[in-house]
Amino acid sequence: MKVPAKQLDNLSNLVGELVVNRNSLEQGQERMRQFLDNLLHQVMLLSDAGQRMHDLYEKTLLERAIWDSRHGHRSNTSHIPDTENEGNSGKRKFDDSLDLDRVENFTPFHLLAQETIEYIVRVRESASDIEFLVDDAEQVTRQLRQVTTQLQEGFTRSRMIPFSQTVQMLPRALRDNSIEFGKEVELQVEGKETLIDKMIQDKLSDPMKHLMNNAIAHGIETPQERLSAGKSRQGRITIRAFHQGNQTVISVADDGAGIDPEKVKKKAVEKKVITQKQAQGMSNLDDVYKLLLEDGFSTNEKVDLLSGRGVGLGVVKKNLTEIRGTITIDSTIGKGTTFTIRLPLTLSISKALCCISDRSKIAFPMDGVEDMVKVGKDEVKIVEDGQNYIEWRGAKLPFRHLRELLVYNRHLRRGNVYGINAEEDMISIVVLRSASVGIFLAVQVDQVLEQQEIVIKQLEGPVPKPVGIAGATVLGDGKIVAIADILELIDLATGRIREQRIMPDIITPEPIPVPKKTELTVLIVDDSITVRELLSMTFSKAGYRVEQARDGKDAWEKLRGGLVCDLVFCDIEMPRMDGFELLSRMQKDSNLSILPVAMLTSRGAKKHMEMAFELGAKGYFTKPYIEDKLLDGAVSILEGKTVGDVVNA
């Protein structure tokens, strides 16, 4: 049954949207599990509080009983008149004095305690029910992932055709060209049953034909030349296709004369592709072979049907780039040349490693990720030429920060800022690899998140593609994330790409003017939720926007993660990280050192105040505070003054 390619494309887009929605469901499920874990933790704390309340009540009853027994105030049923119960349908009877004592001791506190304990039990039961439902939903989500994965794999197979259909026209073209140029060449194809995406196959036919013609024109010698070199009269071109990981690899090899690097460099200088000085300093064969892939570069002096027409292998590279493919060259003089093409299995869905860099998410395709490591800052070394490197698997690996390769011209909004949990003395590194064996690059990111399936969206329209960016994807939460072009990042780091364009959220020739801020933001840092809420109401009534942090560590993570504020009010005594340590860390950070910090504490001693100002505080206030005085102090601090209710004491 024949199906139009357009219909398959539409189905492919629908499968991609299904994957996006599945990822969104999984992220929501993960957040629900986090909320449930927090709820269960709070229920456990509530149960502990209820048990303590019950113990306290029992203790109160015991103390009451002891006090009554010592003072002779035991209750007696004979002292209780029954007239109050007259007229009722039934009289209230007490079997003994003990029952009456229990009734008299049912104080409002006891009734409230008993009611609270009952509610705690009900909340615990409700939490158990929610946990059961979440577990059931997670099971359904796992089944959905299995089904969508099988659907995706089945649909991918339905789009694929054998590699034999790509090369079925090559034998005849090979025979005709061999006869035309007096060469004897046989074609050997391996991996004919290797499946290739139909969209990729459509773009692959011309490059395969061009590479075969290139082997006939430049690689395979004439029968006389081959016999003189001790070879057989008949040359051989071997085309091999196979799957490697999540890539399709196709190699086109010949047993001809090979590529002479000196001849290539000489021709490149003549065509002004490189300078004579660059040619002399070009010792790496990979750099020389890449010259052959430049647009319009050809080593032939005369024009014939197969070569010298000014097209060169650049057209092969261009066609492969459109389908996210790469090509590398390996050659030995006198033995032959091998062209290796690497292609993705499918163009629509891929696996990627999501990371955070410069407070934004970016995705690295997994077929270009070699490793993920964490190293200490002291492990980054500098070589003689000033370049950074790290030791990795016994080799010196070039090291760059991603923000140095991708320059952003944008303004961070609160909705698209991603926080980081960076360790002070450790850095996260993603090791990228190119299609060529042995070319690696260590790229520093702020945080490595997770590996997930993404739907690749190509960048289309009049806006040029930014250097280092291959496309974009939509995550499960609806955010658009850039996909890194690993080969271009490596070329940027090694200097092969000289011109670097700026990649903004919206590309503009000039920076977007920053709108004037009308609402100031205050960060309240205190371990007491009561103090935080009171301060929040105070500043909110005065027209400020308020953010809260429960201790110094929480505040530090929020500030390092991109929280934008104008003023910080911080307590001194807090768990995990106190106010002095937070202030000290902020002063050491170039981005946070300019942020004014005021201490609000119960410590009114002069030594604490002096220490705060030595560490860089702009204000010092003691609890309990006066609202008007605190707000006036905040205004003065924002104006650049140093104030405090203890300064003039």
Side-chain angles (χ1 to χ4, degrees), residues 414 519-525 531-549 558 563-569 631:
R414 304 180 70 84
E519 189 179 49
L520 298 175
T521 303
V522 178
L523 174 62
I524 307 296
V525 187
V531 174
R532 294 202 305 268
E533 290 298 327
L534 289 175
L535 283 172
S536 297
M537 288 190 293
T538 298
F539 282 102
S540 296
K541 288 188 297 183
Y544 292 88
R545 181 187 180 93
V546 180
E547 297 285 347
Q548 295 185 15
K558 288 184 176 182
L563 176 63
V564 180
C565 61
D566 303 278
L567 178 62
V568 178
F569 270 85
L631 294 174

Side-chain angles (χ1 to χ4, degrees), residues 582-636:
L582 172 63
L583 185 57
S584 177
R585 290 194 180 190
M586 291 177 62
Q587 293 302 312
K588 295 177 182 178
D589 190 290
S590 58
N591 295 324
L592 301 177
S593 59
I594 59 176
L595 181 61
V597 179
M599 312 306 291
L600 179 60
T601 175
S602 57
R603 296 291 183 178
K606 186 177 181 180
K607 61 179 181 180
H608 295 102
M609 179 195 67
E610 292 176 348
M611 182 180 296
F613 285 118
E614 287 177 3
L615 292 174
K618 299 300 182 182
Y620 197 93
F621 303 89
T622 56
K623 302 174 184 177
Y625 61 88
I626 302 175
E627 286 192 6
D628 294 340
K629 197 170 184 179
L630 193 69
L631 294 174
D632 291 340
V635 173
S636 299

Side-chain angles (χ1 to χ4, degrees), residues 29-30 33 133-143:
Q29 193 72 34
E30 183 179 353
R33 170 59 65 179
L133 292 177
V134 170
D135 292 339
D136 192 38
E138 287 180 345
Q139 178 67 22
V140 174
T141 304
R142 285 191 292 268
Q143 294 175 355

Side-chain angles (χ1 to χ4, degrees), residues 130-158:
I130 295 174
E131 184 178 19
F132 174 77
L133 292 177
V134 170
D135 292 339
D136 192 38
E138 287 180 345
Q139 178 67 22
V140 174
T141 304
R142 285 191 292 268
Q143 294 175 355
L144 177 62
R145 168 168 278 276
Q146 293 176 357
V147 172
T148 53
T149 300
Q150 293 173 1
L151 174 62
Q152 174 190 337
E153 292 175 351
F155 181 74
T156 300
R157 286 193 297 269
S158 70

Side-chain angles (χ1 to χ4, degrees), residues 183-218:
K183 296 182 179 182
E184 299 180 10
V185 187
E186 67 168 333
L187 177 65
Q188 182 176 350
V189 180
E190 301 176 4
K192 291 183 179 181
E193 300 305 317
T194 302
L195 297 178
I196 299 179
D197 192 303
K198 180 66 168 60
M199 290 181 63
I200 295 178
Q201 188 268 343
D202 293 340
K203 295 283 187 179
L204 192 59
S205 298
D206 289 343
M208 293 300 301
K209 184 177 180 180
H210 197 108
L211 289 176
M212 188 193 69
N213 292 338
N214 182 79
I216 298 174
H218 299 282

